[in-house]
Amino acid sequence: MEKKTILSGIQATGALTLGNYLGALNNWVEMQDQYDCYYMIADLHTLTIRNNPEALRENTLKLIALYVASGLDPEKNTIFIQSHIPAHTSLSWILNCYTYMGELNRMTQFKDKSAKHADNINSGLFTYPVLMAADILAYNADLVPVGDDQKQHLEITRDIAERFNSIYGETFKIPQVYIAKDGARIMGLQNPTAKMSKSAEDPMDKILLTDTPDDIRKKFKKAVTDSENCVRFDKENKPGVSNLMSIYGIIKNKTMEEVEKEFEGQGYGVFKTAVAETVIERLEPIQKKYNDLLENPEKLKQIYKKGDKKAKEKSDKILKEVCKKVGLVIEE
Ligand code: ATP
Ligand code: LTN
């Protein structure tokens, strides 16, 4: 039987956080054997906010290194750069003409990012979900593994695909969102009621995958908890402790009850140290591989060139079919 197709991506906005790893990358790694996987660097999406051009270029390559260092095997996965594949922007334009302003206006990410970047509410920020829909539909992806915050973008992708199919006949597969139960939403360490975000200003709020062991220890030590001093899972009333428990549970593969039992009668000091050491242990081999890869830019180039080629072949075919359906003259 043919393998199902997966597509996902991460923006090249800077160093990845533990939230990106546990919510996205870690799950991708687990899926690489069962599916035909396409993982891209969403560099075009990154342009919706102002970037230093040199930093964006550097972050794109670093992100490829991090994909591989986190366990994505370039032999098994198609790892590529979004801007290298013209089908994404071409399809995005076409899909724009099948997307309503009202739908885009409802996107919470647009509202959040407009509030955050009030001086630069550009139309790319508004049509961001349409480019994302194009990323997914250009590969006829069956499954899109993302964190909880991207669910709404998947819903609009499905709506656009269904609308197109109902006008032109079966063209796109309707993709399913895949949100892993654990790790769907890792929260900030200083503000555990908001997600841990790589663009957060406060460095103490986020663990970066490139943080040193000492940074990690310091950040967990200062993580916001509560005054109960009891390791108990209660997201509502104990968001800080519950978040730390989730992090620990995912890495150790333990349920929340098991974590509660393990730390029964012990205070937050012991618990925080255990969480920090667990994270350090998980990140150590990733960091080593990441640093080795960064010293070998030729290898990184080989990886994305190979991925680009395969991604282009697949997406060109689907784009062509779409162009044909809407009435564009195509070269056979
Ligand atoms: P930014 O702060 O630049 O908006 P981000 O940290 O939210 O970035 P994205 O590039 O938007 O990261 O997301 C990459 C992937 O990581 C997505 O699948 C997203 O759902 C997931 N992700 C991001 N933050 C978290 C988090 N705190 N918990 C779980 N998953 C997350
Ligand atoms: N919007 C996503 C990144 C992204 C993506 C995609 C994820 C761009 N295109 C296609 C899955 C599929 C984000 O910010 N996490």
Side-chain angles (χ1 to χ4, degrees), residues 9-11 13 19-20 23-24 113 145-150 183-186 195-199:
I10 297 182
Q11 294 187 68
T13 30
N20 299 126
K113 295 229 164 161
V146 282
D148 191 46
D149 60 313
Q150 295 298 312
R185 193 177 281 259
I186 300 299
K195 78 160 190 162
M196 184 184 284
S197 171
K198 61 174 130 71
S199 55

Side-chain angles (χ1 to χ4, degrees), residues 70-298:
S70 300
L72 288 182
D73 180 346
E75 295 302 320
K76 292 184 187 161
N77 303 275
T78 306
I79 297 173
F80 69 101
I81 300 179
Q82 182 190 33
S83 64
H84 290 189
I85 314 298
H88 292 237
T89 39
S90 304
L91 183 59
S92 172
W93 173 257
I94 296 175
L95 297 180
N96 261 313
C97 304
Y98 298 86
T99 308
Y100 298 116
M101 302 280 283
E103 288 177 302
L104 292 173
N105 240 332
R106 285 199 290 274
M107 295 292 116
T108 52
Q109 182 176 297
F110 174 66
K111 290 183 203 162
D112 291 351
K113 295 229 164 161
S114 313
K116 220 162 150 188
H117 306 279
D119 56 338
N120 180 24
I121 307 177
N122 59 74
S123 51
L125 203 55
F126 189 63
T127 57
Y128 179 115
V130 186
L131 177 58
M132 183 159 159
D135 298 335
I136 297 166
L137 301 178
Y139 296 84
N140 262 333
D142 294 280
L143 220 56
V144 183
V146 282
D148 191 46
D149 60 313
Q150 295 298 312
K151 212 159 128 189
Q152 208 186 19
H153 288 160
L154 256 295
E155 281 159 15
I156 194 173
T157 300
R158 291 164 60 92
D159 291 343
I160 298 169
E162 278 167 3
R163 183 170 307 136
F164 193 97
N165 285 353
S166 75
I167 304 174
Y168 299 102
E170 213 50 36
T171 309
F172 296 121
K173 264 195 191 158
I174 309 300
Q176 303 275 344
V177 62
Y178 174 82
I179 295 179
K181 194 166 61 49
D182 302 317
R185 193 177 281 259
I186 300 299
M187 310 309 265
L189 298 186
Q190 290 302 310
N191 179 9
T193 53
K195 78 160 190 162
M196 184 184 284
S197 171
K198 61 174 130 71
S199 55
E201 263 160 41
D202 180 0
M204 296 302 281
D205 198 48
K206 55 189 178 185
I207 300 285
L208 299 181
L209 297 185
T210 47
D211 274 346
T212 63
D214 278 348
D215 286 338
I216 296 174
R217 285 185 192 109
K218 197 165 74 197
K219 289 181 185 182
F220 277 113
K221 203 168 173 186
K222 294 250 160 73
V224 167
T225 48
D226 51 66
S227 54
E228 198 190 14
N229 210 24
C230 166
V231 179
R232 185 167 61 77
F233 193 75
D234 177 351
K235 264 191 178 165
E236 193 91 336
N237 300 306
K238 295 164 71 70
V241 171
S242 302
N243 186 41
L244 299 183
M245 288 176 74
S246 300
I247 294 171
Y248 187 79
I250 298 167
I251 300 178
K252 290 279 193 186
N253 208 2
K254 288 188 172 179
T255 65
M256 291 304 102
E257 292 82 63
E258 287 169 336
V259 180
E260 278 174 7
K261 254 215 184 95
E262 186 177 343
F263 293 98
E264 204 175 314
Q266 302 188 59
Y268 290 160
V270 174
F271 174 54
K272 282 177 162 181
T273 304
V275 180
E277 295 310 319
T278 305
V279 170
I280 291 167
E281 197 186 345
R282 170 59 71 94
L283 294 187
E284 205 184 2
I286 297 178
Q287 293 182 345
K288 183 174 179 315
K289 193 157 184 208
Y290 173 71
N291 289 327
D292 288 349
L293 277 165
L294 285 186
E295 279 178 21
N296 194 348
E298 257 323 297

